[in-house]
Amino acid sequence: MTETMVAGASTAAVTRVGWDADQAVTQLYSEHYRPLVRLAALLVRDYATAEEVVQDAFVAMHGAWRRLRDPGKALSYLRQSVVNRARSVLRHRAVVEKHAPKALPDAPSAEHGALGELERAAVIEALRRLPTRQREAIVLRYYGDLSEAQIADAMGISRGAVKSHTARGIAALRTVLEQTT
């Protein structure tokens, strides 16, 4: 066993690191797991995925421990492995999102459309039955979205007459529509 310097999160610490993978990885894990997860979480924007990325990096390092030239650089190896695995996750997400099936727009059912068409047809038919001034006042108010003053100008009548024609027209529409339903 040899003594080497392993960089800590804030300070360097002298650590006994030999070529025993279990001991070395256990010690690195206990000292650096959380900072590595924070790093990965910042990269992949998902804490659960960040934990998986870091755990996979530790597993890979454990498997490659004998091939590690300088055990003192194990933390650097881990950081680079976490960054590379995070990039891989992001690339995979981009491919999945690119090839994900497009969601169908929310469309009402055919039955809903048919009922809506029947209702619109009934309202239009009831509007046709109204006297001209009442029909004009209602159409300008509710379909044209004009104010009473604008309607009065458009029809050439007073605001009071607009209120009167609108109120009478709505009452007549209500009566006709209640009879048809």
Side-chain angles (χ1 to χ4, degrees):
M1 230 181 237
T2 61
E3 261 187 31
T4 58
M5 297 288 284
V6 176
S10 59
T11 61
V14 176
T15 309
R16 285 200 171 272
V17 178
W19 289 99
D20 180 51
D22 292 339
Q23 291 174 344
V25 171
T26 301
Q27 185 170 353
L28 284 168
Y29 185 90
S30 66
E31 292 175 10
H32 301 288
Y33 176 77
R34 290 177 194 231
L36 289 171
V37 169
R38 283 193 300 268
L39 169 69
L42 290 170
L43 295 173
V44 299
R45 299 177 304 272
D46 174 21
Y47 194 78
T49 304
E51 286 181 326
E52 288 179 28
V53 163
V54 172
Q55 289 170 7
D56 289 346
F58 273 103
V59 168
M61 188 181 77
H62 184 271
W65 186 257
R66 296 223 181 261
R67 293 187 309 246
L68 194 62
R69 290 183 192 155
D70 184 1
K73 294 185 180 177
L75 181 58
S76 296
Y77 171 85
L78 273 172
R79 281 192 191 111
Q80 188 63 48
S81 180
V82 166
V83 169
N84 288 341
R85 289 170 190 277
R87 287 178 184 156
S88 180
V89 164
L90 293 174
R91 277 192 304 270
H92 179 72
R93 280 184 190 166
V95 169
V96 167
E97 289 172 8
K98 181 179 177 183
H99 297 292
K102 303 292 184 221
L104 295 175
D106 290 338
S109 66
E111 181 179 271
H112 179 73
L115 290 174
E117 185 61 35
L118 287 174
E119 290 172 0
R120 281 189 294 278
V123 170
I124 291 171
E125 182 57 36
L127 274 171
R128 287 185 183 142
R129 294 181 187 174
L130 292 177
T132 305
R133 292 286 185 167
Q134 290 177 7
R135 183 174 56 244
E136 288 173 355
I138 289 175
V139 168
L140 291 172
R141 177 70 181 112
Y142 296 103
Y143 290 95
D145 201 26
L146 299 179
S147 67
E148 289 175 353
Q150 293 170 323
I151 295 169
D153 287 341
M155 292 178 65
I157 58 176
S158 69
R159 287 181 64 188
V162 169
K163 290 179 185 180
S164 175
H165 288 305
T166 304
R168 288 182 190 147
I170 289 175
L173 281 176
R174 185 176 295 121
T175 302
V176 170
L177 293 173
E178 285 175 354
Q179 291 172 357
T180 59
T181 57

